[in-house]
Amino acid sequence: MMYSYQVVFTILLHLELSPHTMIIGMAAAESIPTKPSLSFMSGGVQLDPPQPMIPPGLDIYHTISLDLTEEAYIDPEIAVTRAIPYGNFTHQKLDVWTPLVSSESKENRKTLLPVVIAIHGGEWEVGYREYVGFMARHLCSSSNQNFQNQVIMVSPTYKLGLYQDQMWPQSRDDILEAIRWVTKNAQEHGGDPNCIILTGHSAGGHLAAAVGLDPDLLLSRGIEPRCIKALFLVSCPLGVQIRDWFVPKNFFDRIKEPFVRFFDRSFRKRMIPMLRPVVGIDEGDNMQAIIATLKEASPLATLKRMNHKTKQKLPYVHYTYASEGDFGTCGIHARRLKRLLPKGRSEVMVLPVTGHLESHFCMQDSKCEWYAALARVLDEYAPPPK
């Protein structure tokens, strides 16, 4: 089953942020119930934990992602172990996708496979780890002629806002805990705990960057930063400070950009509700606390504070986004990322697709350039056996 949708919807695909034109659909979504026709089953199992609402726009993301993953469950070349606890919280579960090999072959295998940790998106509000399951068909199977490396794929669940809670920093801490689980348990599944790739789409990519580009944070959780070899970030925000959301439309916008970022209170007022899952927002919250939280949650801000010697030790970073209809911030953040990282340590790929979700859905195709880019990086760190 192949999907190729040009998905157009208000909340995500036309998020053109400027002080003059901005659409924020988050607050409106709270009053819109989930479509009754949506399925919450995947591979014959009820999705967990239950989520009260998948708003319009994200219902397409939900449905197509789950439909694509259904095919992964019946793929004869891969296997999945589902809902493995990786921490003490009930939501801390992950799926492990592996190449399907006989027990004899498993015992005789001498080479451990790289581990790709794939983090789903969903506005930081909703989503399921099953949204990325379909990628295992190309990452774990030996039949993909364009991707000969083969990996173990791990997809974790993490704390979500669900349109009422603050997900940060628990969501970040969940990803750290999932990485720690991989370093301790990957070998049982044939994975190399010293060769990890983090990838994520949209909100998932933001979380991958937030942990993968902060070696001090990794060390504080008992994770050796060198075990993460690369980040593959897809259509995600790399900065969530107010200033990071301004998208200049023309020459005049670029001239006044610094002033709008720092002095336009109306722009700030309109942005804060959209960032509710990151900052919370209670009556007693003050702007200084909100600004501090947004800075902490911004990978670009982390990089700016980092010295050159530390940057040299960071993992390779690959950033992908759609050529049309993606967030206006994608290209801006990608260019800032490239300027902040040492030369040769990053790559930006613009996919020939239209729409924020298409940069995710296009990975159903084994010929997607993203797989070739991942293969090139893996060839350096974990070349496929001859």
Side-chain angles (χ1 to χ4, degrees):
M1 189 190 307
M2 293 290 287
Y3 291 92
S4 181
Y5 292 88
Q6 180 174 343
V7 184
V8 181
F9 56 98
T10 301
I11 298 175
L12 289 175
L13 298 192
H14 295 297
L15 190 66
E16 294 297 334
L17 301 171
S18 78
H20 305 296
T21 58
M22 184 180 347
I23 299 171
I24 298 178
M26 308 298 180
E30 295 193 42
S31 61
I32 304 174
T34 297
K35 287 185 177 180
S37 59
L38 288 184
S39 170
F40 287 86
M41 300 288 290
S42 184
V45 176
Q46 186 77 29
L47 292 174
D48 179 64
Q51 295 172 21
M53 172 181 24
I54 305 291
L58 284 183
D59 57 348
I60 300 169
Y61 186 43
H62 176 89
T63 299
I64 298 177
S65 297
L66 293 183
D67 283 352
L68 291 171
T69 295
E70 284 299 318
E71 297 182 28
Y73 293 126
I74 59 175
D75 190 311
E77 294 197 3
I78 60 177
V80 60
T81 306
R82 302 180 67 178
I84 302 173
Y86 67 83
N88 296 325
F89 293 109
T90 55
H91 70 268
Q92 291 180 325
K93 295 185 176 67
L94 54 78
D95 295 344
V96 178
W97 295 83
T98 62
L100 187 60
V101 295
S102 65
S103 55
E104 183 179 347
S105 299
K106 193 179 292 185
E107 288 178 9
N108 294 331
R109 178 188 282 163
K110 296 179 181 178
T111 305
L112 294 172
L113 299 177
V115 180
V116 171
I117 300 178
I119 309 168
H120 71 82
E123 295 180 342
W124 300 300
E125 297 279 23
V126 295
Y128 293 95
R129 61 183 181 272
E130 287 81 1
Y131 286 2
V132 298
F134 68 91
M135 295 170 63
R137 298 191 68 196
H138 306 312
L139 292 173
C140 304
S141 171
S142 60
S143 62
N144 185 355
Q145 296 303 309
N146 297 301
F147 188 79
Q148 294 290 301
N149 303 73
Q150 278 195 309
V151 304
I152 305 299
M153 190 181 92
V154 173
S155 53
T157 294
Y158 57 89
K159 168 72 175 176
L160 297 166
L162 301 177
Y163 299 98
Q164 59 186 6
D165 298 330
Q166 180 178 354
M167 43 67 74
W168 182 273
Q170 184 59 51
S171 55
R172 177 203 63 189
D173 294 345
D174 288 343
I175 301 305
L176 287 166
E177 194 64 28
I179 296 171
R180 208 155 71 93
W181 183 93
V182 167
T183 62
K184 295 178 180 297
N185 297 279
Q187 286 183 291
E188 295 177 22
H189 300 271
D192 184 350
N194 296 308
C195 187
I196 298 172
I197 309 290
L198 299 182
T199 185
H201 174 261
S202 198
H206 164 256
L207 291 173
V211 300
L213 294 175
D214 194 337
D216 289 340
L217 177 65
L218 291 165
L219 284 170
S220 72
R221 304 305 170 91
I223 301 167
E224 170 53 58
R226 286 176 296 182
C227 73
I228 299 175
K229 304 303 184 187
L231 310 182
F232 273 70
L233 312 174
V234 185
S235 296
C236 65
L238 295 175
V240 296
Q241 298 182 91
I242 303 301
R243 68 188 71 173
D244 296 318
W245 298 100
F246 182 81
V247 179
K249 301 286 188 179
N250 50 46
F251 174 75
F252 297 104
D253 273 358
R254 281 192 285 274
I255 291 176
K256 65 190 177 187
E257 180 180 1
F259 302 100
V260 172
R261 284 180 178 178
F262 293 103
F263 302 113
D264 191 333
R265 291 184 180 180
S266 64
F267 178 71
R268 181 187 292 176
K269 242 179 169 180
R270 284 175 286 172
M271 284 308 308
I272 293 298
M274 195 194 78
L275 296 168
R276 186 209 53 75
V278 180
V279 297
I281 307 176
D282 293 321
E283 287 297 321
D285 284 348
N286 61 69
M287 187 55 66
Q288 284 188 332
I290 289 174
I291 289 172
T293 299
L294 292 176
K295 186 176 183 179
E296 178 192 51
S298 295
L300 289 175
T302 301
L303 286 174
K304 285 179 182 176
R305 297 192 299 270
M306 201 175 291
N307 62 50
H308 184 72
K309 186 176 180 181
T310 303
K311 287 181 181 178
Q312 292 284 0
K313 300 176 183 178
L314 291 175
Y316 183 84
V317 184
H318 181 280
Y319 189 95
T320 310
Y321 65 100
S323 60
E324 294 181 36
D326 212 328
F327 289 170
T329 52
C330 287
I332 295 171
H333 289 192
R335 289 190 291 273
R336 289 180 191 166
L337 175 75
K338 209 164 177 61
R339 287 198 299 267
L340 288 167
L341 289 174
K343 189 175 181 180
R345 297 301 297 160
S346 64
E347 176 185 7
V348 177
M349 175 184 288
V350 182
L351 293 169
V353 298
T354 300
H356 179 68
L357 298 188
E358 282 298 319
S359 60
H360 172 66
F361 295 146
C362 74
M363 292 180 193
Q364 69 187 283
D365 185 355
S366 64
K367 296 179 182 177
C368 176
E369 298 171 45
W370 187 89
Y371 290 106
L374 177 59
R376 289 194 297 271
V377 171
L378 287 175
D379 283 344
E380 179 180 348
Y381 296 108
K386 302 290 184 183

